[in-house]
């Protein structure tokens, strides 16, 4: 059912922490403890190294592609407390912006939907979430939500652009008035929703269900869906699907997707938002789909299948 | 001085046994500059500009034992930049003073002031003092003035002076193994190696860092290894055993490195702290230079001094800080960035593929490559050496794979195929439906295909000769399933007109789909063959899918329109037939009613029970006239609306939008504008992601939503000058508001241009494309007579 179509030789010298495909699915960005970010062209099953971005001084935790209407832009965040925005111009990648406003490791970056402009959310171990907005001409506007998650924020994910009320009456050419929202997960075991009101970011909802650090959150793309859906996964092995059918966005109901035996590190939605990929501490990826009666069922699992991982070495080192 | 040796200390010797304790701290009166531990690990001395104290390390807390800073107005000699406790002589301490003095302290002195010797030979701040590891009376100092001095503590002045011929000395360290050797690090980035017996010239010098080298430390076990730390944020490990110092490891930290200390009993580990920005203490495994092995994050200001509590105990680390605290860190309480680090990366690709990066230990991959050194794979598993846990930390790599999920619903190939092949306009409604049904079937999406067929049946005009339903019905008397017959009919129908049309349509799209076409068409014919041979089996499946889909909706419709049910037989047929194939043992209420009304549909068990075919046929032909006559146009709309919602919810917004466009006015009013708009924008977004610009444009063009169809106008801006007054046209439209002339007049024929209008960007004159082309063949000048040499590109 599942087959490896491509094994990418990244030649990273240390652990890879994130891999992200770009908007068109043609390029893959990876980041590693070895401080580098690499971009591969993966068209037609190939794997050509396009760029090797060096600039971070610590492990790079996450990368994020911006919408291509703003150019080829990639953001990366690192243990070195920095967020770097890279831009490709005339075939070469350069730093477009470097943000150093966090006091601890920056764990997650996520670009907002293109309708919001070029806006980046960054979650850090210092507990704060920064929102960086490109205002043109090398200028970035910085808004910071302090103490968003006590101990630290591990993940951020934007809500798709939704317009309150009808678009039809909007005068053409004028930007519609979007409500900007995103979700974050942190070391306080909470999933929090944030909303911009009058230019200020406010906590909109606090979702409690996890009993350990929330590792990743993913707001599902809304392709024809009337409801908002968020997936969250945690150190406690649980994955929850949060749904909100209420148009005011106030009532969110959790549904336990599954309780895994190990830490769940990632959740990732398919493009159409109907399949959820979950990766856990056992180096396995499972795919989940909601059935007609609203139950989530595992439709496939992807063992890494490389034959290189043996069970004895999977244990976390506990050397003192 | 002799009296100093081996007398019991004034402090009355502390623990001396096994080291125990916990993570703890105490407040100091002032910021610390340096700390040092006595040999038996029971006491620690803290020195700073305004502090010089000895604390006893008890299990639960620090206890202040002695304040060495005595006198009402302490001299500058008490202002310490560095301190070192002798590792053999437990009463002996040395400090480096900021005024350039080197002071030794004898704790065995009975007086309150323990100051012993005072050397005031350096002219500037002394940065570092260092006792010889095995020679009791030998003390080395390094100063900002660029000199290093070696003192024999039995004499009143220095025994020898070493000139670095360089900038300030930041650190001096006796080699642990080579008796006569010491290393000195300098502000200009150099490290020098000296023989204590040869003060005239260094043995060796090399450039270790860019900018100052703040610290160095000899490996306690490996005689050749020297670690250096610099302002360039690097820690480097040098192998000095060869003739040229060789860099064997390099760790890059996030701030300048102020102190470096090898960890006892751990060959690869060293601790560092920084002098600015970063307040943490890091323990690195030099083999994994990217991520700290452990960090201690307690200090609130710069950490100035670090010391391992006992030279053979790797679990206790002491530190002093500018935040005026003294800490004892337990290794088990350290935070481990690696444990928090995410070992996996996961991403759903656009085409439903998955990129997955996961940690794999080098140990296991090495095991694949070669046998264990000294071991043999033939030995039973329990002979294998238990993997060293530090090894596990040190060698980590990740494998990155791209997976194909292989799920029909997960992969997105069908999406772009479908988008390209669907016909949304330009043909009669029924043909569009048939074409699209065929496309869906070709892509192995029976449910979608059937839906298209259903849509056609529900909304097409039965009088349309193309369909000739009744004729075919008559010709296939055994077919008791309405849609089965349609499935059969549809390829037949499509075969003649559509096949011919297909290449042209695709050609219009400007896509290189010719390659797809050939296998595609053959595929269709394959399908046809299959259907002919396999007969109803496959189709029953199709119907099953459809029945599943619309089951509930259908019931509700029937509930809504009980009266109509009685009257119009066609819908009854369309619906119950599906239930026949569904083979539902517990037929719901409406069906029962149907049974009573029209016994021919009650057969339920499909062909096996074989309803009288003639009856079914005649009935259909009889109802056909009723179809157009009585059924209100919107009769099926609720069903279709629910169907569209269903598809959208399943993530197949393509289907929703395609049906929406093909049905056009028939269904548009049924679905609220906002939903439609949302579907359109979602679909257009997807199309653009798949780089299907032509399809996306077609969808935008065909959309009936105001907000969508105006998309094409908002994306392009055209700046136009008035051809009359040559000023920029400010408002929309083609009338200049300055000269009130129509700006789009052809310069050749003087008529207003409708359609293609071409103009010169230089003089703003222009006109009909063909007129302009014709004109420019004969003359390079502007036809308006302005004399401009027009250029068209």
């Amino acid at each position: 059912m599942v087959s490896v179509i491509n094994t990418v030789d990244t030649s990273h010298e240390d652990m890879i922490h994130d891999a992200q495909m770009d908007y068109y699915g043609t390029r893959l960005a990876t980041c590693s403890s070895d401080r580098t970010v690499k971009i591969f062209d993966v068209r037609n099953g190939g794997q050509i190294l396009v760029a090797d971005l060096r600039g971070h001084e610590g492990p790079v935790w996450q990368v994020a592609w911006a919408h291509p209407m703003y150019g080829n832009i990639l953001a990366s965040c690192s243990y070195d407390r920095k967020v770097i925005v890279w831009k490709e111009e005339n075939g070469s990648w350069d730093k477009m912006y470097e943000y150093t406003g966090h006091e601890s490791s920056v764990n997650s970056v996520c670009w907002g939907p293109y309708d919001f402009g070029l806006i980046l959310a960054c979650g850090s171990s210092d507990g704060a979430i920064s929102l960086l907005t490109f205002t043109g001409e090398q200028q970035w506007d910085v808004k910071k939500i302090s103490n968003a998650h006590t101990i630290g924020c591990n993940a951020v994910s934007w809500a798709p652009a939704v317009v309150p009320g009808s678009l039809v009456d909007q005068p053409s050419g004028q930007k519609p008035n979007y409500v900007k929202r995103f979700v974050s997960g942190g070391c306080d075991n909470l999933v929090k929703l944030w909303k911009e009101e009058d230019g200020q970011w406010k906590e909109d909802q606090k979702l409690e269900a996890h009993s350990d650090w929330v590792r990743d959150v993913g707001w599902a793309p809304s392709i024809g869906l009337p409801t908002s859906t968020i997936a969250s996964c945690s150190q406690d092995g649980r994955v929850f699907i949060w749904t909100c059918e209420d148009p005011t966005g106030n009532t969110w109901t959790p549904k336990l997707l599954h309780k895994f035996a190990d830490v769940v590190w990632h959740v990732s939605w398919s493009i159409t938002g109907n399949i959820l990929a979950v990766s856990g501490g056992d180096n396995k990826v499972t795919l989940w789909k909601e059935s007609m009666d609203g139950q989530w069922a595992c439709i496939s699992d992807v063992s890494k299948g490389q034959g290189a991982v043996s069970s004895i070495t999977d244990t976390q080192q506990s050397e003192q | 001085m002799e009296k100093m040796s081996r007398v019991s200390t004034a402090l009355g010797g502390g623990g001396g046994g096994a080291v125990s304790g916990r993570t703890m701290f105490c407040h100091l009166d002032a910021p610390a500059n340096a700390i040092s531990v006595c040999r038996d690990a029971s006491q620690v001395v803290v020195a700073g500009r305004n502090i010089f104290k000895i604390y006893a390390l008890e299990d639960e807390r620090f206890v202040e034992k002695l304040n060495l800073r005595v006198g009402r107005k302490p001299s500058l000699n008490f202002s310490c930049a560095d301190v070192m406790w002798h590792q053999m002589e437990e009463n002996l301490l040395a400090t480096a003073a900021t005024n350039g003095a080197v002071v030794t302290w004898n704790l065995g002195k009975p007086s309150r002031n323990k100051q012993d010797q005072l050397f005031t030979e350096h002219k500037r701040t002394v940065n570092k003092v260092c006792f010889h590891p095995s020679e009791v009376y030998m003390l080395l100092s390094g100063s900002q003035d660029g000199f290093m001095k070696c003192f024999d503590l039995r004499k009143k002045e220095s025994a020898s002076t070493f000139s670095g011929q360089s900038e300030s000395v930041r650190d001096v360290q006796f080699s642990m193994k080579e008796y006569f050797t010491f290393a000195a690090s300098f502000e200009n980035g150099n490290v020098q190696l000296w023989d204590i017996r040869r003060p005239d010239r260094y043995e060796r010098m090399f450039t270790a860092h860019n900018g100052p080298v703040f610290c160095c430390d000899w490996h306690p076990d490996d005689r050749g290894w020297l670690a250096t730390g610099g302002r360039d944020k690097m820690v480097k490990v040098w192998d000095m055993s060869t003739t040229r110092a060789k860099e064997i490891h390099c760790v890059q930290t996030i701030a300048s490195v102020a102190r470096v200390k090898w960890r006892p009993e751990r060959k690869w580990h060293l601790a560092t702290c920084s002098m600015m920005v970063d307040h943490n203490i890091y323990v690195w495994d030099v083999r994994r230079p990217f991520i700290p092995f452990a960090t201690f994050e307690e200090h609130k200001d710069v950490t100035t001094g670090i010391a391992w509590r006992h030279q053979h105990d790797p679990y206790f680390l002491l530190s002093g800080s500018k935040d005026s605290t003294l800490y004892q860190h337990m290794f088990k309480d350290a935070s481990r960035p690696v444990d928090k680090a995410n070992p996996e990366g996961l991403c759903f690709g656009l085409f439903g593929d998955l990129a997955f990066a996961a940690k794999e230990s080098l140990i296991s991959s090495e095991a694949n490559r070669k046998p264990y050194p000294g071991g043999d794979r033939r030995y039973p598993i329990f002979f294998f050496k238990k993997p060293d846990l530090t090894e596990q930390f040190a060698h980590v790599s990740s494998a990155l794979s791209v997976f194909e999920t292989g799920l029909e619903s997960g992969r997105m190939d069908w999406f772009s195929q479908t988008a390209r092949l669907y016909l949304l306009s330009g043909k009669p409604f029924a043909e569009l439906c048939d074409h699209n049904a065929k496309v869906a079937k070709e892509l192995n999406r029976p449910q979608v295909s059937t839906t298209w067929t259903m849509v056609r049946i529900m909304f097409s005009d039965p009088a349309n000769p193309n369909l000739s339903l009744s004729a075919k019905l008559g010709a296939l008397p055994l077919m008791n399933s309405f849609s089965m017959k349609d499935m059969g009919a549809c390829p037949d129908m499509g075969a003649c007109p559509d096949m011919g049309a297909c290449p042209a349509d695709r050609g219009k799209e400007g896509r290189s789909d010719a390659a797809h076409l050939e296998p595609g068409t053959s595929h269709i014919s394959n399908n046809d063959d299959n259907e002919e041979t396999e007969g109803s089996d496959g189709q029953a499946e199709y119907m099953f899918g459809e029945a599943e889909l619309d089951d509930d909706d259908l019931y509700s419709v029937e509930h809504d329109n009980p009266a109509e049910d009685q009257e119009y037989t066609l819908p009854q047929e369309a619906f119950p037939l599906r239930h026949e194939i569904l083979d539902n043992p517990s037929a719901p209420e409406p069906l029962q009613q149907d049974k009573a009304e029209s016994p021919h549909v009650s057969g339920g068990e499909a062909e096996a029970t074989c309803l009288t075919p003639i009856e079914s046929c005649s009935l259909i032909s009889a109802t056909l006239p009723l179809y157009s006559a009585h059924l209100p146009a919107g009769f099926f709309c609720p069903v279709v609306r629910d169907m569209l919602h269903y598809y959208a919810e399943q993530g197949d917004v393509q289907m929703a939008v395609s049906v929406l466009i093909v049905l056009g006015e028939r269904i548009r009013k049924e679905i609220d504008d906002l939903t439609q708009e949302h579907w359109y924008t979602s679909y257009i977004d997807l199309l653009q992601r798949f780089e299907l610009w032509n399809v996306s444009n077609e969808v935008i063009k065909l959309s009936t939503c105001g907000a969508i169809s105006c998309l094409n106008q908002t994306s392009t801006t055209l700046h136009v000058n008035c051809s009359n007054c040559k000023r920029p046209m400010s408002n929309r439209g083609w009338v200049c508001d300055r000269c009130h002339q129509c700006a789009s007049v052809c310069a050749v024929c003087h008529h207003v241009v409708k359609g293609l209008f071409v103009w010169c960007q230089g003089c703003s004159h222009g006109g009909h494309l063909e007129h302009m082309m014709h004109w420019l063949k004969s003359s390079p000048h502007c036809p308006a007579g302005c004399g401009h040499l027009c250029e068209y590109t």
Side-chain angles (χ1 to χ4, degrees):
Chain A
M1 196 128 161
V2 175
S3 52
V4 180
I5 49 175
N6 195 0
T7 305
V8 182
D9 177 18
T10 58
S11 52
H12 274 299
E13 295 170 57
D14 206 307
M15 213 194 280
I16 298 170
H17 300 294
D18 198 18
Q20 289 294 325
M21 302 252 205
D22 75 346
Y23 187 81
Y24 297 122
T26 57
R27 282 181 296 185
L28 180 68
T30 60
C31 61
S32 157
S33 275
D34 69 7
R35 295 143 205 260
T36 61
V37 174
K38 294 188 184 191
I39 300 170
F40 297 89
D41 189 327
V42 292
R43 264 177 294 194
N44 308 320
Q47 41 157 305
I48 304 154
L49 180 67
V50 182
D52 185 345
L53 311 180
R54 288 165 193 268
H56 280 295
E57 296 172 320
V60 189
W61 299 134
Q62 225 174 61
V63 286
W65 291 96
H67 192 277
M69 75 180 273
Y70 299 104
N72 289 325
I73 294 176
L74 185 75
S76 59
C77 62
S78 160
Y79 185 73
D80 68 4
R81 305 159 187 199
K82 285 194 276 198
V83 174
I84 298 181
V85 179
W86 310 85
K87 185 168 188 178
E88 184 190 23
E89 246 155 331
N90 307 320
S92 74
W93 286 85
D94 287 304
K95 264 186 213 178
M96 181 188 183
Y97 178 59
E98 185 172 300
Y99 174 65
T100 51
H102 282 291
E103 280 143 41
S104 190
S105 170
V106 186
N107 300 319
S108 183
V109 281
C110 185
W111 290 104
Y114 70 90
D115 321 63
F116 301 169
L118 205 50
I119 181 166
L120 184 72
C122 325
S124 162
S125 285
D126 64 9
I129 297 171
S130 296
L131 292 131
L132 315 177
T133 315
F134 185 64
T135 52
E137 287 159 35
Q138 324 291 322
Q139 294 298 305
W140 290 75
D141 173 55
V142 178
K143 287 205 175 91
K144 201 162 169 183
I145 309 170
S146 302
N147 205 23
H149 289 276
T150 39
I151 325 177
C153 172
N154 291 327
V156 284
S157 174
W158 285 87
V162 179
V163 186
S166 172
L167 251 181
V168 185
D169 305 329
Q170 294 282 344
S172 63
Q174 199 174 323
K175 280 220 160 180
N177 191 21
Y178 291 107
V179 177
K180 295 178 194 162
R181 285 195 296 172
F182 70 90
V183 61
S184 64
C187 304
D188 50 7
N189 310 349
L190 293 175
V191 172
K192 286 186 178 179
L193 304 187
W194 306 87
K195 191 165 158 184
E196 194 188 46
E197 277 173 16
D198 312 322
Q200 293 302 309
W201 285 94
K202 288 184 181 133
E203 185 179 315
D204 187 33
Q205 292 288 312
K206 195 194 283 181
L207 311 180
E208 290 175 73
H210 289 293
S211 59
D212 206 336
W213 290 17
V214 178
R215 275 299 179 179
D216 199 6
V217 285
W219 202 309
S222 126
I223 302 284
L225 297 168
T227 53
S228 296
T229 309
I230 293 171
S232 66
C233 66
S234 157
Q235 200 97 342
D236 66 10
R238 279 191 270 257
V239 176
F240 279 102
I241 306 291
W242 304 84
T243 47
C244 173
E245 309 203 4
D246 167 15
T248 57
N250 288 330
T251 30
W252 289 81
T253 41
K255 179 172 270 175
L256 181 66
L257 178 102
H258 189 67
K259 165 97 170 70
F260 293 86
D262 209 333
V263 184
V264 185
W265 293 103
H266 275 298
V267 285
S268 178
W269 290 101
S270 70
I271 302 305
T272 47
N274 54 353
I275 299 179
L276 181 71
V278 176
S279 82
D282 48 4
N283 274 357
K284 256 179 135 182
V285 182
T286 45
L287 302 181
W288 300 79
K289 195 172 195 288
E290 194 178 18
S291 64
M292 295 294 288
D293 57 352
Q295 294 304 310
W296 287 85
C298 180
I299 51 170
S300 178
D301 60 6
V302 185
S303 265
K304 203 162 68 63
Q306 302 292 294
V309 174
S310 67
S311 53
I312 45 159
T313 53
D314 283 344
T315 52
Q316 293 280 346
Q317 81 293 330
S318 54
E319 202 272 342
Q320 281 226 340
Chain B
M1 291 299 280
E2 283 83 357
K3 67 179 182 223
M4 227 172 68
S5 53
R6 305 290 171 241
V7 244
S8 91
T9 67
L11 303 170
V19 178
S20 63
R22 61 181 185 94
T23 294
M24 58 185 183
F25 75 100
C26 72
H27 288 289
L28 309 171
D29 314 324
N33 274 344
I35 61 168
S36 186
V37 195
C38 74
R39 187 180 55 166
D40 66 4
S42 61
Q43 292 174 20
V44 59
V45 58
V46 181
R49 201 167 273 270
N50 296 306
I51 183 172
F52 189 21
K53 279 182 179 175
I54 290 173
Y55 288 87
L57 290 154
E58 297 190 353
D59 279 356
E60 296 293 314
R61 61 203 166 100
F62 290 100
V63 176
E64 186 180 326
K65 279 287 177 185
L66 186 67
N67 188 355
L68 290 156
R69 208 178 145 81
V70 291
R72 183 161 297 171
K73 193 165 178 283
S75 81
L76 276 174
N77 295 342
F78 288 100
S79 171
C80 306
D82 191 34
V83 63
M84 184 165 180
W85 203 316
H86 204 291
Q87 289 305 295
M88 294 169 68
E89 177 51 67
E90 57 194 3
N91 276 337
L92 186 55
L93 296 169
T95 57
T98 49
N99 65 353
V102 173
V103 192
T104 60
W105 311 79
N106 182 0
L107 300 180
K109 272 193 171 181
S111 62
R112 268 189 73 218
N113 190 343
K114 309 287 184 191
Q115 185 174 325
D116 193 25
Q117 294 263 61
L118 178 69
F119 305 98
T120 51
E121 295 182 30
H122 286 296
K123 293 187 183 65
R124 296 180 62 192
T125 300
V126 179
N127 287 320
K128 194 74 193 170
V129 285
C130 179
F131 284 112
H132 194 278
S134 51
E135 193 61 53
V136 178
Y137 299 109
M138 201 184 285
L139 175 69
L140 190 64
S141 67
S143 159
Q144 201 71 16
D145 63 11
F147 290 97
M148 296 144 280
K149 284 174 188 290
C150 184
F151 304 95
D152 184 330
L153 298 185
R154 292 163 295 195
K155 294 180 185 165
K156 292 284 175 208
E157 52 199 36
S158 64
S160 44
T161 301
F162 309 87
S163 168
Q165 307 281 326
S166 192
E167 288 172 52
S168 311
V169 185
R170 295 308 298 236
D171 201 356
V172 285
Q173 292 288 341
F174 275 111
S175 165
M176 304 297 277
K177 303 289 178 183
E178 309 270 355
Y179 186 88
F180 296 109
T181 306
F182 72 88
S185 72
F186 294 85
E187 239 163 46
N188 62 0
N190 287 344
V191 171
Q192 295 177 354
L193 238 58
W194 289 81
D195 187 316
I196 203 87
R197 298 161 298 185
R198 289 195 58 191
D200 54 326
R201 194 185 146 72
Y202 53 81
E203 298 279 288
R204 195 192 282 185
M205 180 170 85
F206 61 95
T207 303
H209 291 270
N210 280 325
V213 188
F214 291 130
C215 52
C216 60
D217 195 33
W218 290 94
H219 197 284
D221 302 317
D222 262 287
R223 62 178 56 200
W225 284 19
L226 180 73
T228 59
R231 196 172 65 189
D232 60 2
K233 306 178 183 177
M234 311 252 218
V235 177
K236 291 181 179 177
V237 178
W238 304 87
D239 184 355
M240 312 290 282
S241 58
T242 52
T243 47
R244 279 195 65 195
K246 199 173 100 195
E247 182 187 322
I248 48 174
H249 292 288
C250 178
V251 174
Q252 202 193 342
T253 71
I254 64 170
S256 58
V257 181
R259 308 269 177 188
V260 57
K261 285 275 179 260
W262 287 99
R263 188 176 176 206
E265 311 287 307
R266 291 291 182 275
K267 185 176 179 183
W268 309 97
H269 290 186
L270 49 80
T272 67
C273 65
S274 169
M275 60 174 57
M276 52 182 99
V277 187
D278 195 356
H279 312 153
N280 297 346
I281 302 164
Y282 298 96
V283 179
W284 302 88
D285 185 314
V286 294
R287 294 165 302 173
R288 190 174 181 187
F290 310 113
I291 185 163
F293 178 67
T295 63
F296 300 101
E297 295 162 355
E298 282 87 356
H299 285 300
K300 301 281 178 288
D301 201 340
V302 173
T303 306
T304 48
I306 50 174
W308 294 96
R309 185 169 161 190
H310 191 274
Q311 55 184 330
H312 294 294
D313 186 339
Y315 303 118
F316 292 84
L317 181 71
L318 298 164
S319 67
S321 161
K322 282 237 164 72
D323 66 5
S324 303
T325 57
L326 173 66
Y327 258 94
Q328 171 170 281
H329 310 276
M330 292 289 291
F331 218 82
K332 66 175 168 61
D333 297 333
S335 83
R336 304 291 187 92
V338 169
D339 290 359
K340 291 188 203 162
N342 196 336
E344 290 171 354
L346 177 68
C347 177
F348 239 119
L350 185 60
F351 300 93
D353 42 353
L354 274 174
F356 179 50
K359 187 178 106 177
E360 59 176 10
S361 172
L362 203 68
I363 291 178
S364 55
S365 53
E366 254 174 9
N368 283 346
R369 265 186 251 125
K370 57 182 185 195
Y372 279 87
D376 193 313
R377 302 226 102 188
R378 283 167 299 186
Y379 286 122
I381 190 77
F382 44 82
F383 278 119
F384 278 79
K385 195 177 81 178
K386 189 173 168 279
D388 180 1
L389 291 161
T390 56
E391 295 290 322
Q392 262 189 47
F393 175 80
H395 297 294
V396 169
S397 64
S398 292
L400 177 64
S401 307
V402 181
F403 293 94
E404 202 167 38
T405 53
L407 295 162
E408 189 264 331
S409 49
R411 301 221 353 236
M412 293 297 284
D413 298 351
W414 58 266
F415 179 87
S416 43
Q417 288 282 343
T418 310
R420 280 183 205 150
L421 298 178
Y422 268 1
L423 284 182
L424 301 178
S425 65
K427 287 197 172 202
F429 167 73
E431 277 181 47
L432 292 179
C433 289
D434 281 339
H435 174 88
N436 294 343
K438 201 175 62 193
V439 167
K441 201 202 284 179
E442 189 184 329
L443 291 166
N444 201 19
R445 301 173 74 219
Q447 183 178 332
V448 174
S449 171
T450 313
T451 307
W452 278 111
T453 311
M454 297 301 296
V455 166
R456 193 206 70 195
I457 295 165
M458 288 171 179
F459 287 94
S460 60
D461 176 9
N464 188 336
N466 273 352
L467 287 170
S468 59
L469 267 179
S470 50
K472 285 188 186 291
L473 254 174
L476 298 160
L478 273 175
M479 288 286 203
N480 63 346
S481 157
F482 204 78
S483 54
M484 258 179 210
K485 195 185 55 59
D486 280 295
M487 301 299 282
C490 121
D492 289 356
M493 267 199 23
C496 325
D498 272 351
M499 280 304 171
C502 263
D505 291 332
R506 284 171 209 173
K508 255 185 243 162
E509 287 205 17
R511 299 236 150 228
S512 54
D513 278 335
H516 286 291
L517 187 68
E518 288 307 317
T521 42
S522 61
H523 192 188
I524 295 174
S525 51
N526 281 347
N527 277 356
D528 293 352
D529 292 344
N530 287 345
E531 267 146 36
E532 273 158 26
T533 49
E534 289 172 21
S536 52
D537 279 2
Q539 281 153 18
E541 264 174 40
Y542 298 159
M543 290 314 294
F544 191 79
E546 179 59 23
E548 239 186 356
L549 153 66
D550 275 343
D551 237 2
D552 298 344
D553 307 338
L554 293 173
Y555 294 145
S556 64
V557 169
E558 283 173 316
H559 281 301
D560 290 346
N561 310 300
E564 283 169 331
D565 274 353
Q566 320 274 320
E567 217 172 321
Y568 311 118
T569 35
L570 187 82
Q572 284 173 1
E573 268 185 316
F575 303 148
L577 281 169
R578 274 177 253 174
H579 296 297
E580 273 176 6
I581 290 145
L582 189 66
D583 201 7
N584 197 345
S586 60
E589 275 305 306
L591 261 183
Q592 306 283 343
Q593 286 175 6
D594 288 349
K595 221 185 253 179
E597 292 287 328
S598 47
H600 69 280
V601 284
S602 65
E605 274 69 42
E607 291 105 309
T609 50
C610 205
L611 313 156
T612 49
I614 303 115
E615 205 180 43
S616 134
C617 259
S618 63
L619 195 119
I620 286 169
S621 40
T623 51
L624 273 172
L626 289 175
Y627 188 31
S628 49
H630 293 284
L631 270 181
F635 180 74
F636 291 104
C637 286
V639 183
V640 175
R641 182 192 62 211
D642 291 346
M643 185 266 296
L644 293 183
H645 277 289
Y646 163 82
Y647 274 109
E649 273 171 46
Q650 290 298 299
D652 188 359
V653 76
Q654 179 178 54
M655 185 65 185
V657 171
S658 301
V659 173
L660 202 59
I661 291 175
V662 169
L663 284 178
E665 289 301 324
R666 296 179 184 87
I667 189 75
R668 201 160 72 85
K669 290 185 195 70
E670 286 294 315
I671 296 160
D672 69 289
D673 288 344
L674 207 60
T675 314
Q676 284 193 33
E677 210 175 285
H678 182 54
W679 289 350
Y680 272 119
T681 45
S682 302
Y683 187 42
I684 290 165
D685 273 357
L686 274 179
L687 287 171
Q688 291 181 350
R689 256 190 115 154
F690 281 94
E691 300 175 74
L692 298 163
W693 312 110
N694 291 347
V695 184
S696 147
N697 189 48
E698 192 188 356
V699 169
I700 293 174
K701 238 167 65 188
L702 292 173
S703 81
T704 42
C705 273
I708 301 301
S709 45
C710 75
L711 277 179
N712 273 355
Q713 283 145 39
T714 54
S715 52
T716 316
T717 314
L718 210 61
H719 295 281
V720 192
N721 284 349
C722 171
S723 61
N724 210 31
C725 63
K726 297 184 186 174
R727 295 245 189 76
M729 305 269 287
S730 51
N731 63 346
R732 285 151 211 239
W734 288 98
V735 175
C736 175
D737 50 356
R738 288 199 179 78
C739 59
H740 303 287
Q741 293 277 335
C742 180
S744 58
V745 174
C746 176
V748 179
C749 69
H750 299 285
H751 284 104
V752 173
V753 183
K754 285 178 181 160
L756 287 178
F757 181 39
V758 63
W759 67 93
C760 168
Q761 292 190 7
C763 66
S764 310
H765 294 122
H768 293 103
L769 178 61
E770 60 268 35
H771 290 169
M772 293 308 290
M773 282 168 74
H774 187 70
W775 177 270
L776 289 166
K777 268 183 207 158
S778 53
S779 165
H781 290 277
C782 179
C786 68
H788 187 253
L789 283 166
C790 292
E791 281 176 44
Y792 291 92
T793 48

